[in-house]
Amino acid sequence: MRAITIRNIRLHSVALPFVEPLRTSFGEEPFKTAVLIELETDGGVTGWGEATVEIMPGYSSETMGTAHHILQEFLVPLLLGKTISDATEVPDLIRSVRGHPMAKHGVEAAVWDAIAKTNNIPLADYFAAHLPSGHASRGYANVGVSIGIKPSVEATLETITKRVNEGYKRIKLKIEPGWDVELARGVRAAYPDILLMLDANSAYTLDDAEHLKQLDEFNLLMLEQPLGHDDIFQHSKLQPQLSTPICLDESIKSADDLRLALELGACRILNLKPSRVGGYTESLEIYRVCVESKLPLWIGGMLETGVGRAANLAFASLPGVTLPCDISATSRYFKQDISEPPFVLGAESRIAVAPGAGIGVQVHPERIAAAAEMWKQSYPYHQG
Ligand code: OSB
Ligand code: MG
């Protein structure tokens, strides 16, 4: 594999309008926002990464403002001029910066893409090269779709019907106190057999255990992140009380967090978001832990632009990812993405990995410029 030397890094703070916003227990954002990282090598190759941060510190403590600040002032200076022979060297190069996993994931992803492109291999193959044989990419990912909190069960059923007709075979519904048991009952009455799961985004406490037990009757694939965003202990007290498997999302920020959760019995499934755990190097370690402990694994999403989605799709095509992922077709998110071609849902609720070197999609500079302008216009008080 040929090494790269980083000549330049440009940051683009962007906003894209959603076709259907996603209301969660912590709120709803008007745009998909992100800080995109454009990394140029001495060899003239451009690698792209996405710090997939939101406007508010709702899901994560990181925001558009913090990601731009940490990238501009700290991460970019640590990387400029460095020669890197493998993308897994990046975490050591930026270790002096504590926290900020989404900003770190963005630059690491740009390095993964740049090295894969320099060596003319797809990103999925570059990931697989870091795993034992038998873990080659399948070329596609099994996917589902995430549906936000709606004004009524009827409105939710309408959206589910639309998504089922589009071909999605796994439906995830966002819940919060007051929007849970009756929702599940209503959906199960109309769709007794569909693969159905709920995501609470940390809206409950252990005091709600009796209430949450009622969800056991709905044959749910899993209940995602019912308790605190930084908790593992209380989930370990809740899981034995439920027959529904708990899936952790927010709580797992590293491979060691996962080892602790497994030791305590805090979850039976993992949602891995590479951005949440600080990059693909840590994600590969988590993947290995899941394979070793036979923990069902899927790749979550943050409504990424094409840059982040293409890379996550490559990772989700690895065979240790055993459950449908939160990576939907481009049309579920945007009228027009910042890259081409769009991702389309194929047969059997699958999306194919983009062929070609690196992330495999082409970023359109004029669309980045338009999305950067939209971010500036919309949020002049904290432009990045
Ligand atoms: O909890 O999985 C989540 C989006 C923003 C913040 C948190 C979450 C989500 C999603 C998005 O569920 C799913 C997707 O990208 O399609
Ligand atoms: Mg979640």
Side-chain angles (χ1 to χ4, degrees):
M1 292 285 280
R2 279 159 58 201
I4 59 162
T5 298
I6 300 174
R7 181 196 296 183
N8 193 20
I9 297 177
R10 271 184 225 97
L11 304 177
H12 307 270
S13 296
V14 297
L16 283 177
F18 283 126
V19 291
E20 182 187 330
L22 184 76
R23 201 181 128 206
T24 65
S25 60
F26 57 80
E28 173 181 312
E29 299 224 327
F31 303 104
K32 167 59 201 164
T33 57
V35 180
L36 297 174
I37 292 106
E38 181 182 11
L39 181 155
E40 194 191 320
T41 73
D42 270 359
V45 166
T46 300
W48 285 93
E50 173 170 345
T52 193
V53 280
E54 300 191 306
I55 300 163
M56 300 279 298
Y59 171 82
S60 158
S61 59
E62 292 180 81
T63 65
M64 285 292 281
T66 71
H68 193 275
H69 166 64
I70 293 294
L71 281 158
Q72 180 90 323
E73 305 297 331
F74 303 105
L75 299 176
V76 170
L78 283 169
L79 290 169
L80 279 182
K82 290 287 189 310
T83 297
I84 300 175
S85 49
D86 192 273
T88 58
E89 294 163 20
V90 172
D92 274 341
L93 293 171
I94 58 180
R95 203 168 294 287
S96 58
V97 176
R98 290 191 180 168
H100 303 282
M102 293 190 168
K104 288 175 172 171
H105 165 263
V107 279
E108 201 199 290
V111 172
W112 280 95
D113 184 36
I115 295 183
K117 282 173 175 161
T118 297
N119 291 278
N120 202 25
I121 58 169
L123 188 55
D125 294 354
Y126 189 28
F127 288 144
H130 293 79
L131 294 168
S133 65
H135 286 272
S137 166
R138 294 175 291 216
Y140 65 84
N142 296 309
V143 307
V145 65
S146 182
I147 298 175
I149 294 168
K150 305 271 177 191
S152 66
V153 173
E154 291 66 40
T156 307
L157 284 172
E158 239 171 71
T159 307
I160 294 175
T161 302
K162 177 168 140 197
R163 297 308 180 198
V164 167
N165 289 340
E166 287 171 349
Y168 290 102
K169 290 208 193 310
R170 189 231 61 188
I171 299 291
K172 161 165 146 180
L173 301 177
K174 295 289 188 178
I175 59 164
E176 64 186 357
W179 182 253
D180 44 31
V181 176
E182 291 320 307
L183 170 71
R185 198 184 308 285
V187 171
R188 267 300 177 231
Y191 287 99
D193 299 321
I194 197 170
L195 279 184
L196 180 68
M197 58 175 290
L198 307 178
D199 185 1
N201 287 109
S202 299
Y204 299 87
T205 70
L206 200 50
D207 292 340
D208 298 311
E210 284 304 318
H211 178 74
L212 293 171
K213 276 187 206 175
Q214 297 174 80
L215 296 172
D216 279 344
E217 70 173 280
F218 302 117
N219 186 28
L220 300 172
L221 188 60
M222 70 192 87
L223 172 61
E224 187 177 338
Q225 195 70 36
L227 309 182
H229 68 91
D230 52 0
D231 166 78
I232 294 175
F233 180 74
Q234 308 228 359
H235 282 98
S236 79
K237 299 295 169 196
L238 179 62
Q239 177 66 94
Q241 301 185 57
L242 302 179
S243 60
T244 305
I246 290 179
C247 168
L248 288 178
D249 172 358
E250 282 91 329
S251 293
I252 305 300
K253 294 179 167 78
S254 67
D256 279 341
D257 282 350
L258 178 59
R259 291 183 181 103
L260 178 62
L262 288 172
E263 193 147 311
L264 295 182
C267 67
R268 294 187 193 146
I269 297 176
L270 180 68
N271 167 348
L272 167 58
K273 290 182 184 167
S275 66
R276 189 191 68 226
V277 304
Y280 291 111
T281 302
E282 192 68 18
S283 298
L284 284 163
E285 183 61 13
I286 288 173
Y287 178 101
R288 289 184 204 99
V289 172
C290 290
V291 169
E292 263 168 46
S293 45
K294 299 190 166 51
L295 187 76
L297 168 68
W298 55 285
I299 305 304
M302 291 293 293
L303 313 159
E304 281 84 355
T305 76
V307 166
R309 185 177 322 282
N312 277 351
L313 194 58
F315 198 95
S317 74
L318 298 169
V321 177
T322 54
L323 287 171
C325 300
D326 267 355
I327 303 176
S328 306
T330 302
S331 61
R332 182 261 172 262
Y333 307 98
F334 314 116
K335 266 214 187 80
Q336 187 183 63
D337 205 336
I338 45 93
S339 59
E340 288 287 338
F343 292 102
V344 289
L345 187 69
E348 294 179 80
S349 202
R350 292 172 173 173
I351 297 182
V353 173
I359 58 174
V361 294
Q362 273 67 52
V363 173
H364 282 224
E366 75 286 357
R367 295 191 197 166
I368 299 265
E373 191 55 32
M374 173 149 250
W375 170 249
K376 265 192 201 156
Q377 299 293 329
S378 314
Y379 293 96
Y381 48 91
H382 58 178
Q383 14 175 301

